[in-house]
Amino acid sequence: MSGTQVLDSLLALTQVLQADQERELDRRGLTAPRTHLLWVLHHGGPATQVQLAEALDVTPRHITTLVDALDATGLARREPHPTDRRAVLVHLTDRGRTLMQAMDIELAELGAALVDGLDAQTVDAMVRGIDHVRGRLEHLIAEHERAQREREDYA
């Protein structure tokens, strides 16, 4: 299989995954950025808005908007930080925790269903191959961005 065929397959897979994700999140009244924030809280525990902004690689103002929306829907809440009077911690509510636990289960079930019928060696090879392609893509993107900046600096 050529590199172009691999890329075509990955692009098709990306479209299917993104469409499915959008349908599922929409069904729950969520967006991808709100879900990402919930996911970080679910797996990392309560965090300050500054920590969340760093984890999601967005501005603190964007985190404020996301937390406001999640608070309004009863999925997350702000509470005073126990040791820093200037800070607040964002927590999942019981409703948010229940939702994220359900999503965790669904993710595990989907993952198992995707590799159903494949032996462990094939699954391991797939993971190694996908990780390799992702790493190469990240490297190539970084190189491209660096070259773009250099061209702009000399323009």
Side-chain angles (χ1 to χ4, degrees):
M1 183 178 262
S2 73
T4 301
Q5 290 170 308
V6 169
L7 186 56
D8 285 346
S9 292
L10 289 172
L11 290 170
L13 178 61
T14 300
Q15 289 176 330
V16 171
L17 286 171
Q18 186 171 1
D20 182 61
Q21 178 187 37
E22 288 173 5
R23 273 190 308 274
E24 287 299 310
L25 294 181
D26 188 54
R27 183 175 64 81
R28 290 180 162 102
L30 290 170
T31 64
R34 290 177 189 175
T35 305
H36 190 186
L37 191 149
L38 290 170
W39 200 254
V40 168
L41 291 173
H42 177 62
H43 290 283
T48 66
Q49 292 190 180
V50 170
Q51 291 168 326
L52 292 171
E54 291 171 2
L56 273 66
D57 194 27
V58 298
T59 64
R61 176 70 190 124
H62 188 65
I63 289 296
T64 298
T65 301
L66 292 173
V67 173
D68 286 347
L70 292 171
D71 184 40
T73 58
L75 296 172
R77 70 180 182 285
R78 293 177 179 95
E79 292 185 1
H81 193 287
T83 59
D84 184 349
R85 293 185 324 168
R86 298 167 295 150
V88 296
L89 289 176
V90 180
H91 294 257
L92 290 177
T93 62
D94 288 341
R95 181 172 175 236
R97 215 172 354 274
T98 299
L99 174 66
M100 296 314 296
Q101 288 167 348
M103 290 178 80
D104 245 350
I105 290 168
E106 290 170 10
L107 183 68
E109 289 172 349
L110 177 59
L114 287 174
V115 298
D116 187 39
L118 297 175
D119 61 75
Q121 188 176 9
T122 301
V123 173
D124 288 346
M126 283 177 52
V127 170
R128 282 193 313 275
I130 291 168
D131 286 348
H132 172 81
V133 169
R134 187 191 72 238
R136 287 292 301 149
L137 182 58
E138 289 170 348
H139 174 77
L140 292 169
I141 289 170
E143 278 185 350
H144 177 74
E145 289 176 350
R146 182 186 46 76
Q148 285 289 101
R149 282 191 305 274
E150 287 176 3
R151 280 192 290 278
E152 289 169 3
D153 288 345
Y154 293 112

